[in-house]
Amino acid sequence: METTGSATEGDPLKSGEDGAETGTAPSAAELKKKSYKEVIGLTKLTHWRTGFFFFSLFLCLTIVFAFSFILPCPVRPQYLVTWNRTFTEAETYDFLAIEDASKDKVMDVLFVLKDTEPSPNNTCANAGLPSPCVFVMAVDGTDGETLWGRPLAPEFHWAQCGLDDETGRTWDCLLSHSDQLTAVDKFTGEIRWQQPQPPGLRITVPVLSVPDLDGDKVSDVALVASDDTQTQLVFFSGKTGEQVGSSVVLDSTKTANHLLHRTAAGSYYVLLQKDTGLYGLALWRIAAKAKAGMEQGLKKDKDWEKTANATSGLVPMFESGSVRQVLRTGETGDPPNLLLVTGNEVALVDGKHPKTLWRFNTSSVLGEPSFGHFNKDEVLDVVVEDDIGNYTKRVMILDGKSGGVLWEVDLLASPNSPRPSAIHTTNSFSIFVFWGMMRSEANSSEPLESDRRSYLLHPLYSNVLLQSTSFLEHIITFKATLLEGGRHAAYILLTGPEESEGTLVLSKRKLKHDVPNSKVLRIATGGSSESNEDIKVAFNRLRFSDW
């Protein structure tokens, strides 16, 4: 059957768009012309799209290459395994600070020497000072190159760095020299302020960093001075160095040492080492005596004040004879505990409440104890060197929780041996460094300065010591430290003549550098079954970290 006048689904070209009738189909020429226009339109659109795509790609590549040169990838510091700095006809002191003075996240070395020209064009004469004079020096931890040197008037008394942390102060190191107190910026060596020392006072370290007392939004400092008749404290502005208030008498007797302690309640106490023990005096009490109203804003600790003496205000913390040393345990807890050394014992005092946690009897502690992690209980253990007679010392590691002996060894007490040190590892324990001489290695029962070795102790191989070659030079001061967070453990040594002018050498040695040439000593029978080479490999595989 034939159908006409209506469009079907199979013949769409016959339909009219506006409902009008289409009498005849388009001619072949019209269809060809229409198809040609559509093709031309699509071609132009494709060209525009292609052009836009390549333009976008070109723009992105240009930006990437531009920023690759403008913002290059950070370059890691290139360390020298060892470096040495030599100063001729100079004199130095027992002071060594490890600080980042170049803002490259690598620790640098600050020290003090007495010289005429420690570096080219940096002389006492150029600074208008007599020769020789005192120089505060900063050298780069990576290669030992001089960062800056600041000449100061002689004579040198003491120095302390690390005083800029979260305080608002623009300086890091405070020095006592001649009759002056000088605050120095560790980054540039510039003098931020310089003030005359209070007359008639023999000020001693440590410098106490106290809260802002004069209202200038910068933390202040307190200095303690003792003589045979009394102990005094003086406040100074952290911003200008000017004295704040009057000096305050802390005690009517001489104190051996002092320390600032912050309790769990946020109250500050100045701890005083006396012939009868350790006592604390609240900072708010001292500030009120220095200047009326200056104690405002300082917190009080009601628990500590319960035991304070009604007359002196002293809080007894440890009463058992003369206290020779007081050290913070260095733990991150707030507050840290306190390690005390007396004539015949070592004791740990609770930093939250003034009570004794444990005691350990000793003969005579040599030098200053140090701290490290021998076990993995996350509590710092204590390294003590005890004089047991016959030129012999007993190196002991005491458990930080109980005071029990975790490890010990007897060494000849070689003259001029630095105090023990420890560097933490990523394995939650520390590598311990100490000095002396194994009796089996010595040529005589009376050690000489040349009979001095350094030893490394790995807690997982506690029956073995790694012995280095001898150090023949006289050691002024020594530190084992990390030069960069999480890596590059090193020794920093300052050697030279004792209390006289001569040739000084400041040197850095990577801790692992001496491992291949070190001697493996078995200090106990039935100990580690690993070979000597396996022991050295274990030391070389260590990865270090901050506390």
Side-chain angles (χ1 to χ4, degrees), residues 132-145:
C133 59
V134 173
F135 283 87
V136 188
M137 303 290 296
V139 300
D140 197 306
T142 61
D143 55 16
E145 292 298 319

Side-chain angles (χ1 to χ4, degrees), residues 143-458:
D143 55 16
E145 292 298 319
T146 299
L147 297 173
W148 53 260
R150 171 59 56 185
L152 299 171
E155 295 288 330
F156 173 77
H157 305 307
W158 52 258
Q160 183 175 331
C161 292
L163 296 168
D164 65 336
D165 295 339
E166 300 179 1
T167 62
R169 291 190 285 259
T170 58
W171 52 273
D172 177 82
C173 299
L174 187 64
L175 292 93
S176 171
H177 62 100
S178 183
D179 60 349
Q180 298 172 327
L181 292 171
T182 301
V184 177
D185 182 349
K186 71 176 179 182
F187 299 115
T188 64
E190 294 180 1
I191 295 175
R192 293 304 183 188
W193 55 257
Q194 194 169 65
Q195 296 288 351
Q197 298 199 43
L201 295 180
R202 295 197 302 269
I203 297 172
T204 58
V205 286
V207 178
L208 306 182
S209 182
V210 299
D212 176 24
L213 299 175
D214 57 2
D216 60 4
K217 298 182 180 180
V218 176
S219 296
D220 299 317
V221 294
L223 301 179
V224 177
S226 289
D227 57 26
D228 294 333
T229 60
Q230 60 184 3
T231 300
Q232 299 183 60
L233 181 144
V234 186
F235 293 108
F236 293 89
S237 168
K239 187 175 183 179
T240 65
E242 295 179 353
Q243 184 172 331
V244 180
S246 58
S247 61
V248 178
V249 176
L250 302 180
D251 197 73
S252 57
T253 60
K254 179 181 179 180
T255 57
N257 208 341
H258 57 276
L259 195 67
L260 188 68
H261 182 72
R262 186 176 183 270
T263 70
S267 180
Y268 290 90
Y269 281 77
V270 177
L271 307 184
L272 303 173
Q273 296 175 216
K274 301 178 60 177
D275 290 339
T276 55
L278 180 70
Y279 300 85
L281 185 60
L283 188 65
W284 63 265
R285 290 180 183 270
I286 304 171
K289 291 181 179 180
K291 185 178 180 180
M294 200 164 68
E295 76 278 10
Q296 300 296 325
L298 294 176
K299 295 181 179 180
K300 299 180 181 181
D301 193 314
K302 295 180 180 179
D303 290 336
W304 280 53
E305 288 301 311
K306 289 178 182 178
T307 59
N309 183 280
T311 304
S312 64
L314 293 175
V315 176
M317 299 187 65
F318 182 86
E319 293 181 298
S320 181
S322 177
V323 176
R324 292 166 45 190
Q325 297 179 54
V326 178
L327 304 170
R328 293 189 186 90
T329 57
E331 293 175 278
T332 56
D334 187 19
N337 294 330
L338 301 167
L339 185 76
L340 279 65
V341 178
T342 69
N344 57 7
E345 67 178 344
V346 176
L348 190 70
V349 173
D350 193 338
K352 296 181 180 179
H353 312 284
K355 64 179 181 180
T356 303
L357 298 176
W358 54 256
R359 297 186 181 201
F360 182 83
N361 292 330
T362 60
S363 299
S364 178
V365 174
L366 299 172
E368 185 178 294
S370 61
F371 304 94
H373 291 280
F374 185 83
N375 50 26
K376 296 184 178 182
D377 61 2
E378 299 182 355
V379 176
L380 280 172
D381 304 311
V382 184
V383 187
V384 176
E385 294 186 326
D386 193 22
D387 185 356
I388 60 175
N390 196 25
Y391 306 105
T392 304
K393 64 181 179 182
R394 181 162 293 158
V395 183
M396 297 176 289
I397 300 179
L398 307 181
D399 189 285
K401 280 187 176 180
S402 65
V405 177
L406 296 173
W407 181 90
E408 64 180 20
V409 69
D410 291 349
L411 298 175
L412 287 176
S414 305
N416 188 226
S417 293
R419 66 183 285 245
S421 298
I423 301 179
H424 199 52
T425 71
T426 56
N427 302 101
S428 301
F429 57 78
S430 302
I431 294 300
F432 296 87
V433 185
F434 42 87
W435 299 71
M437 187 72 175
M438 291 292 293
R439 189 172 291 276
S440 60
E441 300 290 307
N443 295 323
S444 65
S445 59
E446 182 176 346
L448 304 174
E449 188 167 330
S450 58
D451 295 328
R452 183 184 57 214
R453 306 285 190 273
S454 66
Y455 294 92
L456 294 179
L457 170 65
H458 193 311

Side-chain angles (χ1 to χ4, degrees), residues 75-88:
V75 179
R76 285 195 50 76
Q78 298 299 310
Y79 293 92
L80 295 179
V81 174
T82 64
W83 54 253
N84 296 284
R85 288 294 308 275
T86 302
F87 304 88
T88 58

